[in-house]
Amino acid sequence: MTAGGLKALAVAGTLLLAGAFSWAVASVPKPDGAALRPKVVGVAPGRPEVRPTTNPALTQTYVS
Amino acid sequence: MSPDGLVRRHFGALGSECELLAFGLSEAALAEGEAWVRRAETRFTRFEAGSELSAFNRSAGAWKPVSPPMARMLRASLDAYVRSGGLVNVAILPALVAAGYSRRFADGLEAPAGPSPQAAPALPDVLEVAPGQARLRAGCAIDLGGIAKGMLADELALRLGGNVLCNLGGDLRARGAGPGEGWPVGLPDGRTVAITDAALATSGTTRRRWGQGLHHLIDPRSGAPASTDVESVSVAAGDALSAEIYAKAALLLGASHGRRFLRERGLFHVMLEGRPA
């Protein structure tokens, strides 16, 4: 194989590895920490505002 | 200690504990709010033969005139079915009764001795709503349960107006910013969050249990009490009905798919996992 062929093969291999790595990263489930830390503004439907607070709770949401 | 100017009213209705809190409203206004909830309960309960819901269930197979509030509730039920991908289905009443939930929970339930559970029918196939009337397919029956609590919390918050929080059995709808930076609400995991112009609802399998592994959340896909690895999930949305729908759907989907379902909708949630119910 010529030097040019080897170079093309190396480039193709690098691109393949990069693609596989990107896919693997995208496939890993994202941690749910963002959802568990209430610095979140939900969006659908409406735009409910939910913030952490140190104030004592005035009422509870609970399983009924 | 309550913040200055807070008025609150606690009462039992809809088979649950209810609480109304407000700034800038009179105690009489909250008393009227309670009376409104009680009137709604007499219309939507399945435990009273004289309720509009019981009469509607008895009329299955024929068109039946319905009140505007009942028509709204039925349309909301159809909408909930679509938004939840069929997981929130009010046509689970026969399955709920077959599981033993045939009377008020406070009266004590018994383990079932009936036939094996069957999947609930697709709601749009069995429920039709037209102006002033509705029809349920013969042999079907509906339980408005969580749909009613969410929708009534939304309607009551609008009726009361101002800076108010309506908590109907854990389904909350808040208007305004409460004592200043949002209404502080306790979550099942022990934390407190402040919500402003928002709603919270929690769905779970830890309450209303009887027999061996029986509970009140029927999976319409099987017709049996849901087997899920979610102990409870609390969801925030713009209105209590939506929070109720999304919380129940996430619980039935299970932890992994339920979290994905809620993330895709950008909804704040707190999920507590447990062994399959």
Side-chain angles (χ1 to χ4, degrees):
Chain A
M1 186 177 285
T2 64
L6 281 173
K7 191 174 176 182
L9 191 64
V11 169
T14 303
L15 288 172
L16 194 64
L17 281 172
F21 181 74
S22 300
W23 177 85
V25 168
S27 301
V28 173
K30 291 181 174 57
D32 202 38
L36 293 172
R37 284 188 293 277
K39 193 175 181 181
V40 176
V41 176
V43 291
R47 296 188 65 82
E49 186 179 328
V50 181
R51 291 184 292 178
T53 182
T54 55
N55 291 335
L58 290 174
T59 191
Q60 307 278 328
T61 178
Y62 52 83
V63 176
S64 61
Chain B
M1 191 173 131
S2 294
D4 290 342
L6 175 69
V7 289
R8 61 198 306 167
R9 187 173 188 89
H10 184 271
F11 57 98
L14 307 170
S16 304
E17 298 295 311
C18 301
E19 197 166 23
L20 309 178
L21 303 96
F23 289 93
L25 290 183
S26 66
E27 293 190 5
L30 298 193
E32 172 51 30
E34 175 187 340
W36 182 85
V37 172
R38 294 193 183 283
R39 286 195 297 273
E41 181 177 24
T42 63
R43 184 188 300 279
F44 297 121
T45 180
R46 69 177 169 99
F47 298 116
E48 295 292 341
S51 73
E52 184 175 1
L53 176 61
S54 294
F56 182 61
N57 280 332
R58 283 195 300 273
S59 75
W63 285 98
K64 168 89 173 166
V66 292
S67 66
M70 179 61 83
R72 283 198 299 277
M73 200 66 77
L74 296 178
R75 288 198 176 91
S77 300
L78 286 164
D79 182 53
Y81 181 89
V82 172
R83 289 163 68 189
S84 65
L87 291 171
V88 177
N89 185 344
V90 296
I92 48 79
L93 181 54
L96 204 50
V97 172
Y101 200 170
S102 56
R103 52 189 169 183
R104 284 191 172 90
F105 192 81
D107 295 337
L109 305 187
E110 294 172 358
S116 301
Q118 291 188 328
L123 190 63
D125 291 347
V126 300
L127 176 63
E128 300 169 86
V129 185
Q133 58 181 346
R135 180 169 64 179
L136 197 55
R137 181 185 289 177
C140 296
I142 60 173
D143 172 45
L144 294 170
I147 297 284
K149 278 194 296 182
M151 198 161 168
L152 293 176
D154 289 329
E155 287 191 14
L156 183 55
L158 291 173
R159 287 176 68 90
L160 290 172
N163 191 1
V164 63
L165 186 148
C166 299
N167 182 354
L168 301 186
D171 283 16
L172 279 71
R173 174 67 185 269
R175 294 188 70 202
E181 56 177 31
W183 285 97
V185 176
L187 299 174
D189 68 352
R191 289 179 301 154
T192 301
V193 293
I195 60 172
T196 302
D197 293 324
L200 274 167
T202 299
S203 193
T205 59
T206 53
R207 302 272 296 270
R208 296 181 197 254
R209 300 184 69 92
W210 68 96
Q212 291 201 327
L214 297 172
H215 57 81
H216 73 299
L217 284 181
I218 298 291
D219 189 331
R221 298 169 295 186
S222 65
S227 178
T228 173
D229 57 354
V230 178
E231 193 173 283
S232 75
V233 57
S234 303
V235 175
D239 58 87
L241 178 58
S242 297
E244 164 75 28
I245 292 167
Y246 293 133
K248 187 170 289 181
L251 182 127
L252 293 175
L253 285 168
S256 177
H257 290 96
R259 281 201 169 98
R260 187 185 308 162
F261 175 85
L262 295 170
R263 279 199 212 106
E264 285 171 354
R265 286 156 180 78
L267 296 168
F268 167 79
H269 59 278
V270 173
M271 185 179 282
L272 302 182
E273 294 184 40
R275 58 193 169 87

